[in-house]
Amino acid sequence: LDLTTRNKLFIGFGLMIAFLATVIVTAYLGISAIQASQESLYQEDFANALDLMALRAEQNGVRVALLNMMLLARQSDREIWHQDIKRRSKQIAAVMSQLLERNRNDPRVFARLEELKTIREAFAQTRDDQLIPLIYANNTDDAKALAVGIQEKRYGKMRAISQDLGDAAVEHARAAVAESERRAAQTVRLFVIVGVVTMGL
C-alpha cells in the first residue's frame, strides 16, 4: 500500500516478465529433452530393433538354405542355394557392422554384440570350411551330424542373443516414449499454472 503507482507497475510487469521467462526456459528444456528422446528412439532403439529383426531373418534364411543343400542331389541346385548363403552372409556382416558402430558407446549392448559376432564368425567358418564341402562331396550323414551338433548350438545362441537385444531395444523405446509423454504433460501443467497466476496479477 505504501508503494507508488509507478513502483507497483514496475513490480507487476517485472513479475509477469519473470513468469514468462520461467515458461520460456521450461518450455525450451522440455522440448529439448523430448527431441533428444525422440532422436534416441528413432536413430538408436528403432534402428537396433529393425536391424536385429533383419539379422534373425537372414540367419534363418542361411539355415534354410543349408538344409536345402543337404536335401538336394543335383550340384547345380545346391549351387543356387550356396549363392543364396553367400548373399545372406554379406548382408549379415553389413548389419553386424552397423549395429556395432551404432552401439559402440553402450558397453552392455556392445559386449553382447561382440559375443554375437564371435559366435557368428565361428558358425560361418565351420559352415564354409567343413559343412558345405561335406555336402558337395555327398557326405550327407557327416554334414547332418555337424549341422545338428555344434552348428545347431551356435545357431541357438545367435538367435537367443539377437532376440534378447531386440526385446531390450523395444523396451527401451517404450520407456523413451513414456518419458517424452511425462515431460510434455509436465510442461503443459506449468503453462497452465503460470497462465492462471499471470491472469490473477
Side-chain angles (χ1 to χ4, degrees):
L1 294 175
D2 295 332
L3 295 175
T4 64
T5 302
R6 181 182 178 184
N7 288 337
K8 289 179 180 179
L9 289 173
F10 272 123
I11 293 173
F13 280 113
L15 287 173
M16 291 182 68
I17 291 172
F19 280 126
L20 182 60
T22 301
V23 170
I24 292 172
V25 171
T26 304
Y28 175 77
L29 294 175
I31 292 171
S32 296
I34 292 171
Q35 286 178 332
S37 177
Q38 294 300 314
E39 183 178 356
S40 174
L41 175 65
Y42 288 106
Q43 294 186 3
E44 296 179 15
D45 300 320
F46 187 63
N48 282 345
L50 286 179
D51 280 349
L52 288 162
M53 187 182 301
L55 191 65
R56 291 195 299 273
E58 295 297 342
Q59 288 171 343
N60 290 337
V62 168
R63 190 169 184 238
V64 170
L66 285 169
L67 292 174
N68 283 327
M69 285 186 71
M70 285 188 282
L71 292 173
L72 296 170
R74 293 171 55 185
Q75 296 288 34
S76 59
D77 293 333
R78 289 172 175 171
E79 182 61 29
I80 292 173
W81 286 105
H82 191 188
Q83 292 302 318
D84 185 64
I85 290 171
K86 291 179 180 178
R87 179 185 63 79
R88 290 181 183 276
S89 295
K90 289 181 181 179
Q91 184 63 26
I92 289 172
V95 172
M96 281 298 309
S97 179
Q98 289 176 181
L99 284 165
L100 287 166
E101 176 63 23
R102 187 184 304 121
N103 295 279
R104 65 185 183 278
N105 295 323
D106 188 331
R108 185 189 64 81
V109 175
F110 189 81
R112 292 285 279 168
L113 287 171
E114 284 283 7
E115 181 185 2
L116 176 60
K117 180 184 177 183
T118 299
I119 298 171
R120 189 196 70 78
E121 288 175 346
F123 179 90
Q125 183 175 3
T126 300
R127 178 197 67 210
D128 296 337
D129 296 346
Q130 300 179 46
L131 183 55
I132 290 178
L134 285 172
I135 294 173
Y136 277 128
N138 293 317
N139 194 345
T140 54
D141 289 339
D142 288 345
K144 289 178 181 178
L146 186 60
V148 300
I150 185 64
Q151 290 294 82
E152 180 68 21
K153 291 180 181 178
R154 287 169 177 162
Y155 172 80
K157 288 181 180 179
M158 289 190 296
R159 184 173 180 80
I161 293 173
S162 59
Q163 183 70 51
D164 288 345
L165 288 173
D167 291 345
V170 171
E171 186 59 33
H172 197 275
R174 288 175 180 165
V177 171
E179 177 63 15
S180 295
E181 292 176 348
R182 186 190 68 79
R183 286 182 177 273
Q186 186 180 47
T187 302
V188 170
R189 283 196 300 270
L190 181 62
F191 287 166
V192 172
I193 291 171
V194 173
V196 170
V197 173
T198 303
M199 292 293 291
L201 289 176

